[in-house]
């Protein structure tokens, strides 16, 4: 009955939740563009490498787009997706750094050493320097490459910076989250610094500008100054809609009827981001790029449900290996697609963008062996079968081991206490502790956090360490088949063993006090020299900060959420 109820709600939601019918062809508040470009009636032949715009949003929930039945207005995303190809069997990673690293390298986390957690601001760690990145391959193919937005792949050395990893230009933040206006980021009490960079310099002069606006305007400027006759790659990694929940008032006003304050602010941020995408698309048309362009839209992980996000009707949230953490919003919009205006159920993973985009750019993949991604363009453009049949969601040997897992439960070949997840065909296996496992309907998120407890809870998982689901038949992960199908469990455990044999050691060094912004003029940035290794132990007296220390509101918010999460976990039934 539960599955039928969920399915019914999802259908009713799709029919009942609407969005404002905005004029999609008019620019919004994000950029100031004057005239409507003329569109050709027919797309040109795919005669030269296309311009590639990759848009990545942060913490946007699976439910939080109009065409998934959301109460949040996303007319631009809905229009772009409807005219392109919606990817409804598309997977990402459950948290920030892993998704970004797999996009940029085309490799699973176990093959870059980034299989545990994220890269922290004070860690001497970054995307391995021996990895040839996606923008580097596109540079080889003759592309101009630009990044705007959130990096979150390490910065302790200058060699780790975006401009040293394949991007000609960069405007954005290096850490995981910053204030949308002041660009301050706190990594603990009193450990705060400014984080907005232009190239390899601190962009002090941009403080006060809302990041979603700033990033969309930068994309427009890049397009205006470049020739559409030359191929261009722009990676737009919006900070939105990650915490802190901040939005211009005019967007919040549209959602004034929402009783949940967090959801209201979050919705405003999503709509603001949607309008930024509208203006980027407008600029592509105005400056002559659109007819030979490919726009890819992707989220980086599931939504954070206690910060306004919703993954309904999927199970789980950001940071978990349930579908709510790893199934993403994704679509491709392009005049070059042969079969447009459809929904694709081809299996696609974020690692696939590397070989797909390099192939579209007519680049050379022969010198980057061992990629975990596949070229899925024929599946997207022509509706052919996806070359991908399985996804390793991850194997994390450092994550807290499940209390009730054992080698015996894993048929003597796998310790089920280890956090891991894999999908093979229609089957998905999880071992260890997959993370918070509830289903949270968006309508329960009212008067946050008062009615937080009004959600569906699972009662059979407290003493388990193995779960098996037929994701095709049971996308909401309600029916665990691990006891009924031990043969399938053993087969998928064998695949985990195979992948684990190829894993490299985890890169997760201890934090270094030298990274403190007070040692670096008050800003986050590279702090180790080119000759310093990951175990460098330098120390100095703090330099005088350019800005006076500010109260760390983000730190207080993090502390609140940590306490709330502890309360949630302790009250599980």
């Amino acid at each position: 009955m539960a599955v039928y109820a969920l399915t019914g709600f999802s259908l009713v939601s799709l029919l009942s939740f609407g969005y404002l019918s905005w004029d999609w062809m008019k620019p919004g508040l994000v950029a100031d563009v004057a005239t409507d470009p003329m569109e050709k009636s027919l797309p040109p032949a795919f005669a030269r490498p296309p311009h590639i715009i990759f848009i990545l949003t942060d913490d946007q929930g699976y439910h939080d787009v109009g065409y998934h039945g959301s109460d949040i207005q996303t007319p631009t995303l809905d229009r772009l997706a409807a005219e392109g190809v919606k990817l409804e069997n598309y997977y990402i990673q459950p948290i920030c750094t892993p998704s970004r690293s797999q996009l940029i390298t085309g490799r699973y986390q176990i093959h870059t050493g980034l299989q545990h957690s994220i890269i922290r601001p004070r860690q001497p760690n970054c995307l391995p320097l021996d990895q040839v990145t996606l923008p580097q391959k596109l540079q080889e193919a003759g592309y101009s490459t630009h990044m705007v937005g959130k990096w979150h792949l390490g910065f302790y050395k200058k060699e780790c910076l975006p401009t040293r990893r394949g991007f000609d230009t960069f405007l954005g933040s290096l850490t995981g989250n910053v204030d949308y206006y002041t660009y301050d980021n706190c990594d603990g009490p009193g450990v705060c610094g400014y984080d907005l960079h232009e190239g390899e310099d601190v962009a002090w002069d941009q403080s006060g500008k809302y990041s979603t606006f700033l990033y969309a305007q930068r994309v427009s400027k890049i397009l205006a100054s470049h020739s559409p006759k030359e191929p261009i790659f722009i990676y737009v990694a919006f900070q939105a809609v990650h915490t802190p929940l901040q939005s211009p008032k005019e967007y919040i006003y549209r959602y004034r009827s929402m009783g949940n304050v967090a959801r209201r602010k979050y919705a405003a941020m999503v709509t603001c981001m949607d309008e930024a995408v509208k203006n980027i698309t407008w600029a592509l048309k105005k400056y002559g790029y659109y007819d030979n362009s490919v726009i890819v839209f992707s989220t980086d992980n599931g939504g954070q449900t206690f910060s306004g996000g919703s993954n309904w009707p999927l199970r789980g949230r950001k940071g978990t290996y349930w579908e709510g953490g790893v199934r993403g919003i994704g679509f491709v919009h392009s005049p070059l697609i042969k079969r447009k205006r459809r929904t694709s159920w081809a299996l696609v993973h974020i690692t696939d963008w590397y070989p797909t985009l390099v192939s579209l750019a007519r680049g050379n993949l022969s010198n980057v062996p061992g990629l975990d991604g596949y070229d899925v363009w024929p599946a997207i453009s022509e509706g052919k079968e996806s070359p991908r049949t399985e996804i390793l969601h991850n194997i994390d040997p450092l994550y807290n081991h499940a209390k009730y897992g054992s080698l015996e439960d894993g048929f003597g070949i796998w310790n089920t206490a280890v956090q891991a997840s894999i999908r093979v065909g229609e089957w998905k296996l999880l071992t260890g502790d997959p993370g918070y496992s509830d289903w949270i309907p968006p309508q329960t998120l009212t008067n946050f956090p008062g009615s937080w407890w009004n959600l569906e809870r699972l009662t059979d998982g407290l003493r388990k360490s193995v779960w098996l689901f037929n994701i095709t038949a049971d996308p909401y992960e309600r029916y665990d088949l691990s006891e009924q199908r031990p043969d399938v469990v053993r087969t998928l455990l064998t695949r985990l063993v195979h992948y684990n044999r190829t894993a490299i050691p985890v890169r997760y060094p201890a934090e270094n006090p030298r990274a403190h912004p007070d040692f670096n003029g008050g800003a986050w940035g590279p702090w180790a020299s080119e000759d310093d290794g990951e175990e460098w132990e330098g120390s100095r007296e703090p330099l005088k900060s350019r800005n006076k220390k500010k109260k760390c509101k983000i730190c207080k918010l993090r502390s609140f959420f940590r306490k709330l999460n502890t309360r949630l976990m302790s009250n599980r039934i």
Side-chain angles (χ1 to χ4, degrees):
M1 289 298 295
V3 172
Y4 294 126
L6 276 170
T7 305
F9 177 84
S10 181
L11 180 58
V12 170
S13 299
L14 289 170
L15 293 174
S16 62
F17 282 140
Y19 53 81
L20 295 179
S21 181
W22 293 355
D23 186 349
W24 187 69
M25 291 305 295
K26 288 184 179 180
L29 300 178
V30 181
D32 184 15
V33 185
T35 56
D36 184 359
M38 296 296 294
E39 296 186 41
K40 296 181 180 179
S41 59
L42 294 175
F46 198 178
R48 61 185 189 276
H51 308 297
I52 301 171
I53 311 298
F54 195 102
I55 300 172
L56 187 71
T57 59
D58 200 337
D59 287 8
Q60 183 179 359
Y62 178 83
H63 183 68
D64 298 329
V65 66
Y67 67 83
H68 280 174
S70 178
D71 52 349
I72 298 176
Q73 302 158 13
T74 58
T76 302
L77 301 185
D78 298 342
R79 177 74 175 268
L80 290 173
E83 295 178 351
V85 176
K86 299 174 186 175
L87 305 177
E88 292 299 334
N89 204 6
Y90 175 56
Y91 286 86
I92 48 184
Q93 296 306 112
I95 49 179
C96 300
T97 296
S99 281
R100 294 159 204 276
S101 69
Q102 296 193 49
L103 165 66
I104 292 293
T105 67
R107 302 178 192 274
Y108 290 140
Q109 296 164 252
I110 63 166
H111 296 147
T112 60
L114 299 175
Q115 55 267 58
H116 179 67
S117 191
I118 60 174
I119 296 178
R120 306 284 176 182
R122 287 178 282 174
Q123 280 184 314
N125 195 14
C126 71
L127 189 72
L129 299 178
D130 61 350
Q131 293 291 326
V132 180
T133 68
L134 171 60
Q136 286 173 332
K137 294 303 298 180
L138 294 176
Q139 281 181 332
E140 290 178 7
Y143 276 68
S144 173
T145 59
H146 307 269
M147 179 179 173
V148 180
K150 172 178 169 178
W151 175 238
H152 207 185
L153 289 174
F155 58 86
Y156 80 106
K157 290 182 179 181
K158 285 189 175 182
E159 292 92 333
C160 302
L161 297 176
T163 48
R164 307 287 180 102
R165 304 311 305 270
F167 290 103
D168 296 326
T169 69
F170 169 67
L171 173 68
S173 60
L174 300 174
T175 60
N177 67 299
V178 299
D179 185 283
Y180 281 74
Y181 292 96
T182 68
Y183 300 97
D184 290 331
N185 178 26
C186 296
D187 189 43
V191 188
C192 302
Y194 185 82
D195 183 18
L196 184 65
H197 294 75
E198 172 87 60
E200 299 183 5
D201 299 320
V202 181
W204 297 104
D205 60 321
Q206 301 293 343
S207 179
K209 300 177 182 179
Y210 189 67
S211 72
T212 304
F213 289 0
L214 178 66
Y215 294 155
Q217 290 166 357
R218 174 52 59 96
V219 174
S220 181
K221 290 180 181 178
I222 292 171
L223 293 172
S225 62
H226 187 78
S227 170
K229 296 180 180 179
E230 301 296 329
I232 191 170
F233 170 58
I234 306 179
Y235 171 36
V236 188
F238 282 114
Q239 173 188 354
V241 289
H242 197 291
T243 54
L245 300 178
Q246 297 173 304
S247 173
K249 292 182 180 180
E250 58 267 32
Y251 291 91
I252 297 176
Y253 185 75
R254 300 178 189 181
Y255 297 99
R256 59 192 179 279
S257 62
M258 282 188 176
N260 180 330
V261 175
R263 180 72 173 168
R264 186 190 312 159
K265 292 180 179 179
Y266 174 92
M269 295 166 70
V270 173
T271 297
C272 184
M273 176 274 296
D274 179 87
E275 195 158 314
V277 174
K278 178 170 101 172
N279 283 275
I280 290 172
T281 308
W282 177 268
L284 287 169
K285 292 172 181 281
K286 177 183 180 182
Y287 297 116
Y289 297 87
Y290 177 78
D291 287 341
N292 190 41
S293 69
V294 174
I295 302 172
V296 181
F297 182 90
S298 171
T299 50
D300 71 335
N301 47 246
Q304 187 56 279
T305 50
F306 56 71
S307 298
S310 174
N311 305 303
W312 181 261
L314 303 180
R315 184 178 183 177
R317 65 188 186 198
K318 172 184 177 178
T320 76
Y321 289 95
W322 304 107
E323 291 292 284
V326 298
R327 181 171 285 202
I329 300 171
F331 66 78
V332 181
H333 178 96
S334 172
L336 307 175
I337 294 174
K338 293 183 179 180
R339 292 183 56 195
K340 305 179 183 67
R341 299 178 181 274
R342 64 184 182 86
T343 297
S344 170
W345 294 95
L347 188 61
V348 178
H349 184 247
I350 196 166
T351 53
D352 297 331
W353 296 121
Y354 186 114
T356 299
L357 299 181
V358 173
S359 296
L360 276 177
R362 302 176 186 176
N364 179 18
L365 289 169
S366 62
N367 59 352
V368 281
L371 292 178
D372 295 307
Y374 295 84
D375 180 359
V376 292
W377 183 252
I380 293 171
S381 178
E382 303 172 43
K384 293 184 178 180
E385 186 176 350
S386 173
R388 177 177 288 282
T389 59
E390 65 182 49
I391 296 172
L392 176 67
H393 292 302
N394 195 26
I395 300 171
D396 187 349
L398 297 189
Y399 194 80
N400 296 334
H401 282 201
K403 184 177 181 180
Y404 298 100
S406 68
L407 190 61
E408 181 181 358
D409 290 340
F411 298 95
I413 62 174
W414 183 263
N415 182 358
T416 63
V418 175
Q419 186 191 63
S421 182
I422 189 172
R423 174 170 171 176
V424 179
E426 61 189 9
W427 295 102
K428 178 181 177 182
L429 180 78
L430 304 98
T431 70
D433 179 3
Y436 196 71
S437 63
D438 290 332
W439 296 267
I440 306 175
Q443 66 269 30
T444 66
L445 300 179
T446 306
N447 298 324
F448 176 80
S451 61
W452 179 262
W453 316 111
N454 182 23
L455 45 77
E456 298 184 63
R457 293 190 177 280
L458 191 69
T459 60
D460 64 351
L462 299 180
R463 295 178 178 271
K464 288 181 62 64
S465 62
V466 178
W467 294 262
L468 178 71
F469 301 96
N470 184 320
I471 289 299
T472 302
D474 179 23
Y476 310 143
E477 297 172 297
R478 288 190 169 261
Y479 299 110
D480 175 18
L481 302 176
S482 58
E483 294 183 5
Q484 292 94 318
R485 296 299 305 270
D487 57 322
V488 178
V489 171
R490 188 182 184 101
T491 297
L492 269 61
L493 288 176
T494 301
R495 293 302 296 159
L496 283 179
V497 172
H498 162 75
Y499 279 112
N500 199 44
R501 287 173 180 159
T502 70
I504 68 173
V506 179
R507 298 165 56 93
Y508 198 73
E511 294 181 344
N512 193 303
R514 178 67 185 86
H516 196 302
D518 282 358
F519 291 102
N520 299 285
W524 293 102
W527 46 270
S529 70
E530 297 181 4
D531 297 327
D532 289 324
E534 291 183 356
E535 301 303 321
W536 188 68
E537 297 290 345
S539 63
R540 285 165 40 190
E541 290 299 317
L543 299 174
K544 186 176 181 180
S545 175
R546 172 167 181 164
N547 296 332
K548 294 182 179 179
K549 288 186 179 180
K550 302 177 181 179
K551 292 182 180 180
C552 188
K553 294 181 181 180
I554 297 173
C555 303
K556 292 179 180 179
L557 188 62
R558 283 178 175 169
S559 177
F560 167 75
F561 283 142
R562 281 195 294 267
K563 291 177 181 178
L564 175 61
N565 191 49
T566 301
R567 183 184 174 194
L568 286 169
M569 297 303 290
S570 65
N571 281 276
R572 293 187 67 177
I573 58 174

